[in-house]
Amino acid sequence: MELLADLKKGKRGAIAKAITIMENDQKEAKKIIKKIFKDTGDSIIIGITGPAGAGKSSLINKTSVEMKKLGTKPAVLAIDPTSHVTGGAILGDRVRMTESTDSGTYIRSIASRGATGAVSRSLRNSIRILEYAGFNPIIIESVGAGQTEVEISNIADITVVVFNPNTGDSIQTIKAGLTEIGDIYLVNKSDLAGTNQLFDAVRDFIGDSVRNPTILKTSVKKNSGIALFAKTLKEMMISKKKFKKEKDQKRLEAELKDIVLNNIKEKMDHMLDSDKSFSKYLKKLQTKNIDPFYAGDKITKSLLK
């Protein structure tokens, strides 16, 4: 396939086309993954997440430039929230990342398409496309909504949680479960008032944990702390490489379960559409002659005969 040859050379048109296939054409996506799978899995995945408004896109823009100076070849997948009504996405991250694009970083926005925790189903395979094209690390920027942070930490080798002093509920957010996922915690927009108080709060809630994560301050506006952040990431990439095989085994187990469950769901949806007992019990349920649990149990038994 000419597409695969161009992918291996890192040609941008081929990368864009392949990721579009991952998003929109399941049949073709399976063919590509079958051919490239053995040559993927070596790149370090960096997940960058945190509350909306933390300044993640601008931070990634500057950090990618610094990481390139350190001899790495970064690529960015920015997950955009998708409208449940129209299915459209903002896809505006590239506008805020022109500097890193000009320096050679590949940036792609992926619509979440309503997948659980706003993590796109095509994300894993888009990562594989970028790995095959020679990028390392691959930076995933999440929308920072709901369970996304935890899901990103399951996909990433290094998880970075970003806060800023203007996020009024940052302390509450810290309490709400982010304490267990971050390898690095960043107080971004550190040129703003309240930085020191937020930094102290993060250190008090998170810094004393057994995991002993790194806590840093960054400011895109003043271009401060970003070189140190990039250097910390580069050092962490080397140390995390030792544990990558073990983490990849867990990720593949989770992926296989997802695929099997998704296949079963698709098959069940098809069976329900043509199942006479489903229609029968649905009518009884709608007239309130039976309750939903009774109907569900009866339909399940009829399908599993």
Side-chain angles (χ1 to χ4, degrees):
M1 283 175 74
E2 188 182 340
L3 178 64
L4 293 184
D6 287 345
L7 260 185
K8 198 66 177 170
K9 293 173 187 171
K11 290 190 177 180
R12 299 194 165 232
I15 297 167
K17 185 176 180 181
I19 291 178
T20 298
I21 290 170
M22 295 304 125
E23 289 190 288
N24 301 315
D25 190 338
Q26 194 176 13
K27 191 176 178 181
E28 285 301 310
K30 286 178 180 178
K31 289 179 186 176
I32 293 173
I33 294 302
K34 186 176 182 179
K35 290 181 183 295
I36 72 170
F37 182 70
K38 283 184 180 179
D39 296 316
T40 64
D42 290 331
S43 300
I44 293 291
I45 314 303
I46 300 172
I48 299 187
T49 189
K56 297 185 289 290
S57 296
S58 301
L59 175 71
I60 291 169
N61 177 39
K62 292 282 187 185
T63 304
S64 297
V65 175
E66 290 296 327
M67 292 202 76
K68 197 146 180 78
K69 290 177 187 175
L70 294 172
T72 68
K73 190 181 179 183
V76 180
L77 288 172
I79 303 170
D80 264 311
T82 305
S83 165
H84 293 293
V85 180
T86 64
I90 299 166
L91 304 182
D93 292 280
R94 278 172 289 183
V95 176
R96 297 186 289 275
M97 295 187 190
T98 51
E99 191 177 342
S100 56
T101 308
D102 292 344
S103 76
T105 301
Y106 184 85
I107 293 166
R108 171 73 177 233
S109 295
I110 296 183
S112 65
R113 302 185 188 278
T116 305
V119 174
S120 171
R121 286 180 185 177
S122 62
L123 179 58
R124 290 180 179 118
N125 290 326
S126 296
I127 288 170
R128 287 175 177 135
I129 294 295
L130 292 170
E131 286 179 316
Y132 189 76
F135 290 98
N136 185 24
I138 295 159
I139 299 169
I140 312 296
E141 181 201 345
S142 83
V143 289
Q147 279 293 106
T148 317
E149 291 93 343
V150 178
E151 292 198 25
I152 286 294
S153 73
N154 290 335
I155 291 170
D157 298 296
I158 300 168
T159 301
V160 181
V161 181
V162 185
F163 299 112
N164 86 73
N166 275 359
T167 310
D169 62 347
S170 285
I171 306 303
Q172 292 306 119
T173 309
I174 294 166
K175 291 178 184 176
L178 294 184
T179 55
E180 295 162 15
I181 67 165
D183 296 292
I184 301 172
Y185 289 86
L186 282 188
V187 176
N188 193 31
K189 300 187 180 181
S190 61
D191 50 288
L192 298 176
T195 294
N196 291 336
Q197 293 94 313
L198 179 57
F199 185 84
D200 290 343
V202 174
R203 187 178 56 198
D204 291 344
F205 279 116
I206 297 165
D208 293 333
S209 68
V210 178
R211 295 175 58 257
N212 194 28
T214 302
I215 304 171
L216 300 170
K217 295 178 190 175
T218 52
S219 170
V220 173
K221 190 176 180 181
K222 291 194 172 182
N223 201 25
S224 66
I226 293 168
L228 176 59
F229 174 45
K231 184 171 176 283
T232 304
L233 284 174
K234 175 79 185 289
E235 289 169 355
M236 208 169 272
M237 283 173 67
I238 296 166
S239 64
K240 290 284 184 179
K241 191 77 177 171
K242 300 169 191 172
F243 309 102
K244 186 165 174 62
K245 188 175 180 181
E246 184 185 339
K247 186 148 189 178
D248 280 348
Q249 287 173 345
K250 290 178 182 175
R251 279 193 286 237
L252 286 170
E253 182 184 349
E255 181 179 8
L256 187 58
K257 284 179 181 177
D258 284 348
I259 291 169
V260 171
L261 288 171
N262 192 54
N263 288 347
I264 290 170
K265 184 183 179 301
E266 285 180 6
K267 190 170 180 63
M268 290 299 289
D269 286 342
H270 178 72
M271 288 169 71
L272 287 173
D273 287 341
S274 57
D275 185 63
K276 290 180 181 178
S277 67
F278 180 81
S279 301
K280 181 180 78 174
Y281 285 112
L282 177 61
K283 285 175 184 175
K284 288 185 178 182
L285 179 63
Q286 287 168 338
T287 56
K288 297 200 171 178
N289 287 330
I290 56 173
D291 66 84
F293 291 110
Y294 179 85
D297 288 343
K298 286 290 186 182
I299 294 164
T300 304
K301 283 177 184 174
S302 72
L303 289 172
L304 296 178
K305 279 179 182 176

